[in-house]
Amino acid sequence: MTPFTLAPFTLAHLSDPHLAPLPKPRLIELAGKRAFGYVNWTRNRHKYQRREVLDALVADMKAQAPDHIAVTGDLVNLALEAEFAPALAWLESVGPPDRVTAIPGNHDAYVSATRHRFGETFLHYIAADTPGGAAFPAVRRRGPLALISLSTAVPTLPLMATGTLGRDQLAALAEVLERLAAEDVFRVLLVHHPLKSSARAKRMTDAPELLGLLKRHGVELVLHGHDHIHSTMWFEGPNGNIPALGVPSASALAHGRYPAAAYNLFTIEKDNAGWRCEQTVRSLGAGFQVGQIKHVRLI
């Protein structure tokens, strides 16, 4: 556990790198849902999910020297066996496991055959400070933060991108939140799917249950990905509203209604009896240059 200091703690958040290039799949791997995903990649997604974009964004993020980095899922695309080793190499280039926390997204558990590969490959980037029991929720303490990692990554039918926590994870989360509520820590919940979605095919199916837990026990901040857009939503907590923030895909060129790649940088510090949290958004601009586009106090 990183020792607590009075200096502000900086947490960077990026999501949905969808690492390119996509390895050439074997014919046997294109059965079922992967066939749809492969056609979508070859016809559309490869045009705007670009490695050079991701590299520019990560280089800028490293230059900001955050204390910790959260990556909220979708490192791979079709969960092919050949995707996981390059994804691990990329994550290691972002930072070591004590400085980076990663959780899975729906693309990381795209099909049942490889649904467990994310947990096996990125174990050290997931593991809780005190191992034991199920992988999720996992709590990592970094400075004044308690990072609470969840997994909504489950295989789904073609054309579906829903996520689910499940009863066991929700029950374990209730215990974690109840315990942390008694401590003087800044609680950050990491989850791939947003807590509210108008798209039935992309929603978190048990979001109401999660929102109920947050209403009773609270956290200070929720970070997610999945929608590939800038997003700030507020949800009811026991002591006021909780901000939940999403970011665009970390490898995306601007296209259609989707903005260019961006990441969030949060500066967190004690403020008398409470907390102060400021958000800075840095985004890809012309000439693959990354710059600040927003700065706001959240708490």
Side-chain angles (χ1 to χ4, degrees):
M1 183 174 73
T2 305
F4 174 78
T5 68
L6 295 178
F9 189 95
T10 56
L11 174 67
H13 170 222
L14 60 81
S15 195
D16 299 75
H18 289 286
L19 285 157
L22 183 71
K24 185 173 179 61
R26 296 173 296 158
L27 185 61
I28 194 172
E29 292 181 300
L30 291 181
K33 183 173 182 174
R34 278 201 186 121
F36 292 87
Y38 183 69
V39 169
N40 187 26
W41 177 268
T42 54
R43 289 185 177 178
N44 301 301
R45 293 177 70 105
H46 81 280
K47 300 174 185 176
Y48 51 81
Q49 304 285 176
R50 304 282 289 274
R51 181 59 182 262
E52 61 266 36
V53 170
L54 179 61
D55 290 345
L57 201 73
V58 170
D60 183 82
M61 180 184 64
K62 286 184 173 182
Q64 308 307 310
D67 294 300
H68 199 76
I69 299 167
V71 184
T72 51
D74 280 1
L75 276 68
V76 302
N77 297 286
L78 306 182
L80 299 166
E81 285 286 353
E83 286 186 274
F84 287 97
L88 177 60
W90 171 79
L91 194 59
E92 290 172 339
S93 75
V94 173
D98 63 327
R99 300 292 296 274
V100 180
T101 297
I103 63 169
N106 54 296
H107 280 263
D108 301 312
Y110 206 66
V111 295
S112 296
T114 52
R115 65 176 300 178
H116 300 298
R117 291 289 285 122
F118 187 96
E120 296 165 354
T121 303
F122 305 106
L123 174 63
H124 298 299
Y125 287 89
I126 299 169
D129 290 335
T130 305
F136 298 101
V139 179
R140 306 180 110 191
R141 305 293 288 267
R142 299 294 184 269
L145 273 59
L147 297 161
I148 310 160
S149 296
L150 300 179
S151 174
T152 53
V154 293
T156 59
L157 295 173
L159 306 181
M160 297 294 288
T162 52
T164 301
L165 291 166
R167 288 181 299 176
D168 291 345
Q169 192 175 177
L170 284 165
L173 177 62
E175 296 179 4
V176 167
L177 294 179
E178 185 173 6
R179 182 177 73 250
L180 290 176
E183 301 184 31
D184 187 21
V185 291
F186 189 94
R187 299 159 295 175
V188 182
L189 190 72
L190 305 177
V191 61
H192 180 70
H193 287 75
L195 278 59
K196 182 179 180 180
S197 177
S198 59
R200 181 173 177 80
K202 298 184 67 175
R203 76 195 193 284
M204 186 196 309
T205 61
D206 44 11
E209 289 81 355
L210 176 57
L211 290 173
L213 290 180
L214 296 181
K215 183 177 180 180
R216 289 195 297 277
H217 302 291
V219 295
E220 279 62 55
L221 181 64
V222 179
L223 303 180
H224 68 84
H226 191 55
D227 284 344
H228 296 197
I229 59 173
H230 297 283
S231 174
T232 301
M233 295 183 282
W234 296 83
F235 298 97
E236 186 177 357
N239 300 304
N241 288 336
I242 301 167
L245 288 91
V247 289
S249 164
S251 63
L253 294 170
H255 60 286
R257 69 181 184 89
Y258 297 104
Y263 70 93
N264 286 329
L265 192 67
F266 301 95
T267 304
I268 299 157
E269 60 184 321
K270 287 292 293 183
D271 186 16
N272 296 318
W275 295 97
R276 181 184 183 95
C277 177
E278 297 182 0
Q279 173 202 13
T280 299
V281 184
R282 296 185 63 83
S283 178
L284 185 79
F288 287 85
Q289 298 298 307
V290 178
Q292 179 177 316
I293 62 171
K294 180 181 178 181
H295 181 85
V296 64
R297 178 173 177 176
L298 292 172
I299 301 173

